[in-house]
Amino acid sequence: MCGIAGVMPLGQRPAERSVITRMTDAMVHRGPDASGFYINDSIALGHRRLSIIDLSDAAGQPFTDSSGRYHLVFNGELYNFRDVRNRIKDHTFQSTGDTEVLAEAYARIGINCVHDFKGMFAFAVWDDQLKELCLVRDRMGVKPLYYFVTDEFLVFASEIRALLQSGLVARKLNKKAVMDYLSFQSASSPSSMIEGVQQLEAGHYLKCKDGKITIKQYWNLTEQKINFEYADKKQTARRIKELLTSSVECRLISDVPLGAFLSGGVDSSTIVGLMASLSNSKPQTFNISFEEKDYDESRYAEMVAGRFNTNHHRILLKPTVMLDELYNTLNAMDAPSGDGINTYVVAKAVKKAGITVALSGLGGDELFAGYPFFKKFMQLRKVSPLWAGTNMLRKVTSRLTSVSSSSTSVKARQILEAETVNIEDLYPVFRHVFSHKQIAKLTGGVNGDYITETERKLNEHASVLHTYPLLSQVSIAEFMGYTQQTLLKDTDQMSMAVSLEVREPFFDHELVSFILSIPDEYKNLHYSKQLLIESLGGLLPNEIIQRKKQGFTFPWNKWLRVELKDFCEKYIRNLSHRDFIQSAELLKWWKLFLQGSRQVRWMDIWLLVVLEYWMERNDIH
């Protein structure tokens, strides 16, 4: 796991070493073990290294292939690199890691080598013969890659802050991205919070030659129909376990201490159980626990640890650690996010315990219909034939519910006003924080024609989405939306802020593709994640299967009104002076929140506070 950066001159001005040095210095947290550069008049590549596989200098970067033609910087892990390495017969490898395998594979078949690899990755390859730069991002969008283009330069990096430190990117807010942020807690690709800075989208690559840029998609989540006979449920369940076991096994490769997060929930317990079945030694497991019963899940984690005979570590924290770590968490944010504090606290505690790589159960809910809105979507779809004919009745009912201003009532009205009960119309309602109408009041800059990037993508892929089973439609919408744009982004930036690599077996692209084609009746929602549990064949204790879903539910509502009141007040008032904010409306919301109104939730306030804090810290105008 690493941080990568580069500058490709497009005009007469050559790349300067000081520029690429500033960029890599801004990402020391991503790679504290080593740094490296490759610089000539045509390209400047920089790298920060967090050593995971092959700790020797032979695996250092930038890496040059055996022909001397290709120069590579790479962030991530290629889990099947040994299989690919064995297929390259005409080269004697000098290292035991995945970077050299990637370089030699690219040297032989170019960008098509990406189809041979499974993993999480973002990499850049400079072809010194063609004078061509190629940027590539993994299929699921686990690893980030940002770029910025002018007439003089193409600049890229793993983080926005590195681009800003280059001195080549103006620190100007992308106001359209603010609409995405207020809707879904983050800016959705391909845009970012900085005007002109783009995110290379998942499953895409970019090539730049002679100043001309081309972007192509090499993998599409919605075009992965699997050639498998799904008629036999037992056979389907066996295949799920095979794919998940394989996904866990390949993610156990590491030359540094490796462990797993263990909350005691179904997803993390599944990963730990499979780790135990695959390893000859005891897995290292870590549970963040609290003395207060409202937040503590340690007894479930200890039950799982005992079941699988792990070397278990209970890390006891006070709930106020969230407050104690507030500034560290906010400073770790490469881009503003309404989420992430929990991830930072957990990652920091596990890193402090001596672990460099941790497996996570992230993705189980999205893949196996673990969220309540999966069931709600199925219920709403049952009335689909009647929806168009009840337009007037729904509008009247919507007006009647307008008496209440609670967030639940607001969402209920939006569902009633939806044009259809198709996924592209309902998913945004399920997931958004602020509605379009609320954003319009707050910013004065949204009209009825505006749609967020997530909504645009859903509409663009609607016809293909409708060919999938209903529950899979929700999963795909999640991957396009909150999961990829917020959850994975937060996991990367918060774990890498403390130099911890997190691997997520549920985001294996082969597993995801297989699950998406499974009929809805196999995912019967009699209880949460039923298909996953049945596929495991008794792996988990019944107490874990039957337990009520918990998670971190800290008293942010109280904290923002009491302990963090002055902190929030400062940034709310500063934000009210921004030219894209309606000052009176924002201050009215803040007053309503302090008065305990159900109209304004703590998350509404927190999103706005984080936005202003991030802008001030990064001097964004």
Side-chain angles (χ1 to χ4, degrees):
M1 195 62 60
C2 309
I4 65 174
V7 180
M8 180 183 180
L10 302 179
Q12 300 301 314
R13 181 180 165 190
E16 299 175 10
R17 186 180 186 90
S18 60
V19 173
I20 196 70
T21 301
R22 288 197 302 270
M23 294 175 72
T24 55
D25 284 349
M27 299 186 293
V28 170
H29 50 279
R30 295 189 74 92
D33 296 331
S35 65
F37 302 94
Y38 174 80
I39 303 172
N40 61 33
D41 290 341
S42 301
I43 194 72
L45 301 176
H47 187 263
R48 292 294 322 190
R49 185 183 183 193
L50 177 63
S51 304
I52 303 292
I53 299 173
D54 190 344
L55 311 185
S56 72
D57 292 340
Q61 296 185 46
F63 194 94
T64 301
D65 81 301
S66 55
S67 73
R69 173 177 172 176
Y70 299 98
H71 307 276
L72 169 83
V73 284
F74 162 50
N75 168 34
E77 303 291 349
L78 304 176
Y79 300 124
N80 66 332
F81 75 94
R82 290 173 180 165
D83 294 335
V84 177
R85 173 181 172 140
N86 290 335
R87 298 201 295 268
I88 300 175
K89 304 295 186 181
D90 60 342
H91 175 70
T92 301
F93 285 87
Q94 304 302 310
S95 66
T96 59
D98 52 359
T99 304
E100 185 177 4
V101 177
L102 175 57
E104 295 301 326
Y106 192 95
R108 281 155 181 77
I109 60 174
I111 187 60
N112 287 327
C113 74
V114 74
H115 298 291
D116 294 333
F117 289 107
K118 62 186 301 183
M120 53 179 185
F121 51 82
F123 64 85
V125 180
W126 171 251
D127 183 338
D128 207 29
Q129 180 176 312
L130 294 180
K131 306 302 179 185
E132 179 183 77
L133 177 68
C134 182
L135 306 179
V136 188
R137 193 173 178 206
D138 66 64
R139 298 171 181 85
M140 298 302 298
V142 179
K143 292 291 102 184
L145 190 57
Y146 299 90
Y147 66 95
F148 179 81
V149 183
T150 69
D151 292 338
E152 290 192 273
F153 294 101
L154 184 158
V155 195
F156 70 87
S158 298
E159 293 186 353
I160 292 173
R161 73 184 111 219
L163 294 179
L164 295 177
Q165 285 300 317
S166 72
L168 304 175
V169 179
R171 296 172 180 266
K172 188 175 181 181
L173 183 71
N174 179 0
K175 293 182 182 179
K176 287 186 178 179
V178 172
M179 310 307 173
D180 282 60
Y181 170 74
L182 294 177
S183 296
F184 299 111
Q185 304 186 52
S186 66
S188 300
S189 60
S191 63
S192 80
M193 293 297 288
I194 301 296
E195 190 168 296
V197 171
Q198 300 289 300
Q199 302 180 61
L200 185 61
E201 295 197 78
H204 284 68
Y205 68 85
L206 175 156
K207 285 190 175 184
C208 182
K209 185 177 183 296
D210 297 328
K212 182 181 178 182
I213 292 175
T214 57
I215 299 175
K216 293 187 178 180
Q217 186 171 25
Y218 69 86
W219 192 84
N220 188 337
L221 179 67
T222 61
E223 296 177 359
Q224 301 301 316
K225 297 297 178 66
I226 302 301
N227 184 20
F228 182 85
E229 180 53 64
Y230 287 97
D232 187 332
K233 185 177 180 181
K234 289 184 178 179
Q235 185 178 345
T236 301
R238 284 195 297 270
R239 183 57 179 157
I240 291 172
K241 187 174 182 180
E242 289 172 2
L243 287 169
L244 187 52
T245 301
S246 174
S247 178
V248 171
E249 183 175 25
C250 69
R251 284 165 176 78
L252 296 179
I253 300 172
S254 176
D255 292 333
V256 294
L258 179 146
F261 299 134
L262 179 56
S263 68
V266 168
D267 301 333
S268 65
S269 300
T270 296
I271 301 304
V272 169
L274 293 175
M275 286 176 68
S277 70
L278 292 164
S279 178
N280 294 324
S281 58
K282 290 184 176 183
Q284 299 266 358
T285 54
F286 296 83
N287 171 252
I288 307 301
S289 64
F290 303 91
E291 292 178 347
E292 290 78 357
K293 291 183 180 180
D294 289 345
Y295 317 125
D296 188 51
E297 300 178 280
S298 61
R299 70 184 184 95
Y300 296 108
E302 288 168 359
M303 184 184 303
V304 175
R307 170 76 169 253
F308 299 117
N309 192 30
T310 74
N311 187 3
H312 188 59
H313 307 265
R314 181 190 178 198
I315 301 174
L316 183 63
L317 299 175
K318 295 180 179 179
T320 53
V321 69
M322 300 297 173
L323 298 177
D324 299 335
E325 292 286 2
L326 184 64
Y327 283 101
N328 290 333
T329 305
L330 292 174
N331 293 341
M333 287 185 180
D334 183 48
S337 169
D339 214 337
I341 293 182
N342 298 345
T343 304
Y344 179 85
V345 170
V346 171
K348 186 173 183 178
V350 171
K351 179 66 177 183
K352 190 175 180 181
I355 295 298
T356 304
V357 178
L359 268 64
S360 166
L362 210 66
D365 284 317
E366 291 78 6
L367 201 52
F368 290 96
Y371 293 129
F373 57 68
F374 280 88
K375 202 165 190 176
K376 291 177 183 175
F377 179 63
M378 294 289 282
Q379 291 168 343
L380 286 166
R381 286 295 302 172
K382 291 178 181 178
V383 300
S384 179
L386 304 174
W387 199 258
T390 58
N391 186 44
M392 186 61 69
L393 176 61
R394 287 187 285 109
K395 285 184 176 180
V396 171
T397 307
S398 175
R399 293 192 191 102
L400 291 175
T401 61
S402 65
V403 176
S404 173
S405 58
S406 69
S407 60
T408 302
S409 297
V410 170
K411 285 188 182 291
R413 289 199 298 274
Q414 286 182 277
I415 290 173
L416 287 169
E417 294 168 4
E419 187 175 335
T420 71
V421 284
N422 293 335
I423 189 64
E424 64 269 22
D425 289 322
L426 292 184
Y427 175 76
V429 180
F430 290 144
R431 263 300 182 193
H432 72 224
V433 179
F434 288 90
S435 69
H436 280 212
K437 290 181 181 178
Q438 290 171 322
I439 294 173
K441 284 184 177 181
L442 187 61
T443 66
V446 180
N447 57 45
D449 297 329
Y450 175 79
I451 64 170
T452 63
E453 288 289 351
T454 295
E455 291 164 334
R456 179 187 62 78
K457 289 174 186 175
L458 288 171
N459 289 326
E460 184 181 310
H461 293 88
S463 60
V464 179
L465 266 170
H466 297 166
T467 67
Y468 279 86
L470 292 176
L471 292 173
S472 293
Q473 291 181 30
V474 183
S475 291
I476 294 171
E478 266 291 87
F479 287 130
M480 287 182 175
Y482 175 79
T483 299
Q484 185 184 109
Q485 310 300 340
T486 302
L487 191 62
L488 285 173
K489 194 182 298 181
D490 282 348
T491 300
D492 175 80
Q493 66 180 353
M494 292 306 178
S495 60
M496 291 309 298
V498 296
S499 306
L500 176 75
E501 175 178 300
V502 176
R503 299 175 179 176
E504 303 101 346
F506 282 115
F507 285 116
D508 182 275
H509 73 276
E510 292 179 346
L511 174 67
V512 170
S513 298
F514 184 82
I515 300 297
L516 292 181
S517 295
I518 293 177
D520 287 331
E521 55 266 29
Y522 289 3
K523 300 177 186 176
N524 291 327
L525 298 179
H526 299 303
Y527 55 89
S528 181
K529 288 171 277 197
Q530 182 175 342
L531 179 60
L532 171 61
I533 291 165
E534 290 176 348
S535 300
L536 297 173
L539 179 72
L540 303 182
N542 286 331
E543 294 89 341
I544 301 302
I545 296 171
Q546 296 168 3
R547 63 166 290 199
K548 184 180 179 181
K549 190 176 179 65
Q550 191 172 332
F552 288 164
T553 53
F554 295 99
W556 290 104
N557 204 38
K558 169 184 170 292
W559 286 346
L560 265 61
R561 288 190 176 96
V562 183
E563 287 89 345
L564 293 176
K565 179 185 175 184
D566 291 342
F567 175 85
C568 292
E569 175 110 31
K570 172 186 174 181
Y571 290 101
I572 287 293
R573 292 201 173 274
N574 289 354
L575 182 63
S576 73
H577 297 303
R578 300 282 184 178
D579 63 2
F580 62 92
I581 291 291
Q582 300 295 301
S583 177
E585 187 70 20
L586 174 58
L587 295 178
K588 184 181 81 172
W589 282 22
W590 174 236
K591 184 177 180 181
L592 287 170
F593 174 73
L594 292 179
Q595 292 172 345
S597 170
R598 293 176 62 199
Q599 185 178 345
V600 185
R601 301 162 300 171
W602 75 265
M603 176 55 77
D604 303 333
I605 297 298
W606 187 241
L607 270 181
L608 296 164
V609 169
V610 170
L611 175 61
E612 177 61 25
Y613 185 96
W614 175 80
M615 290 181 68
E616 291 185 24
R617 177 171 174 78
N618 291 281
D619 194 25
I620 307 301
H621 308 296

